[in-house]
Amino acid sequence: MLRDLRLALALLTVLPVAPAGVGEGEFKRSVAFFPLVGYLLGLPLALLALLPLSPGLSAAMGVALLLGLTGFLHLDGLLDLADALLGARPKEERLRILKDPHLGAFAFGVGGVYLLLLFQALALVQDPLFLLLFPGWARFAFLPFLHRYPLLGPGMAALVRGGPWPWAFLPALPFPLLYPLPALLGFLAAWGVARLAWARLGGLNGDALGAMIALCEVASLLGYALWRSLTG
């Protein structure tokens, strides 16, 4: 169990904690611990909210921590997928662009909007419990779609597909129970990415999973701001 948690940490963060001699079954079992990795990412965000900092400074540090601890992995997936999915192109051209390491106009546009929304949302949200939990939900929300839609080929997505993903719902459950509207919006954001990738590319890959996590986080944060405005 500890090996599976360490592997989940190594897959989703920059922490050098991967165990040696990892087998295929361990990659799959690690998905059950993905929400716990999210909680570890949310912990410094929650601590920031408890410090006497201005919302802007707290948000800037939160963005830096969230991106830095994940090695910009999910942001990279979002940028790559934006170039491939957006615009009027045939499927073959989209797949070629997906493999191209260079960034195009859609990547810069989507990336800029994403960072602005992430910063503003973190500035608005000062609830330590929410900040602790929402990254865990984002690392569960993509799992049902990973196991529903076809894959584009071998890669990290294929390594973790087939694992006991329903068990990951148990550690992720506090978030939808406490914050149902943000959880729903985050889940819908992940579904939207998966659906669009399936429709325009024919399936999912690691970039799609990263984009699903990134947009689920932003949608959950914005959903919290909306929920608080509606509930007063």
Side-chain angles (χ1 to χ4, degrees):
M1 181 176 290
L2 182 58
R3 282 176 59 88
D4 296 337
L5 176 58
R6 289 173 57 192
L7 182 56
L9 280 166
L11 290 174
L12 298 177
T13 73
V14 294
L15 299 178
V17 294
V22 178
E24 182 178 342
E26 289 177 291
F27 278 104
K28 298 185 186 305
R29 291 197 305 270
S30 70
V31 302
F33 297 90
F34 281 10
L36 297 182
V37 176
Y39 294 154
L40 291 176
L41 294 171
L43 181 59
L45 304 181
L47 294 176
L48 280 175
L50 296 173
L51 297 177
L53 303 175
S54 67
L57 179 58
S58 178
M61 294 176 66
V63 171
L65 284 168
L66 199 56
L67 297 181
L69 288 173
T70 57
F72 296 82
L73 180 65
H74 310 319
L75 176 61
D76 178 70
L78 177 64
L79 301 184
D80 289 342
L81 201 68
D83 272 338
L85 290 184
L86 302 180
R89 300 182 179 93
K91 178 182 175 181
E92 293 74 17
E93 179 69 6
R94 295 183 189 278
L95 291 172
R96 185 195 66 79
I97 292 174
L98 189 62
K99 298 177 182 179
D100 190 340
H102 300 93
L103 299 180
F106 287 116
F108 283 106
V110 169
V113 171
Y114 165 76
L115 290 174
L116 284 172
L117 290 176
L118 181 61
F119 170 80
Q120 185 59 58
L122 285 173
L124 290 172
V125 177
Q126 296 298 309
D127 179 347
L129 182 58
F130 181 93
L131 293 171
L132 172 68
L133 296 178
F134 86 94
W137 177 249
R139 281 149 189 82
F140 164 78
F142 75 93
L143 291 175
F145 308 114
L146 169 62
H147 292 79
R148 172 178 173 80
Y149 290 100
L151 300 181
L152 292 177
M156 190 54 62
L159 280 176
V160 299
R161 178 170 170 150
W165 69 267
W167 287 103
F169 183 64
L170 294 178
L173 184 59
F175 185 74
L177 289 179
L178 294 171
Y179 307 101
L181 178 59
L184 175 61
L185 292 180
F187 193 76
L188 290 176
W191 172 78
V193 173
R195 181 74 180 180
L196 192 60
W198 172 70
R200 296 194 173 186
L201 298 174
L204 308 179
N205 70 344
D207 288 329
L209 302 188
M212 291 160 74
I213 292 174
L215 293 185
C216 179
E217 287 179 336
V218 167
S220 297
L221 285 163
L222 295 175
Y224 178 87
L226 175 62
W227 175 70
R228 287 301 299 266
S229 68
L230 291 176
T231 60

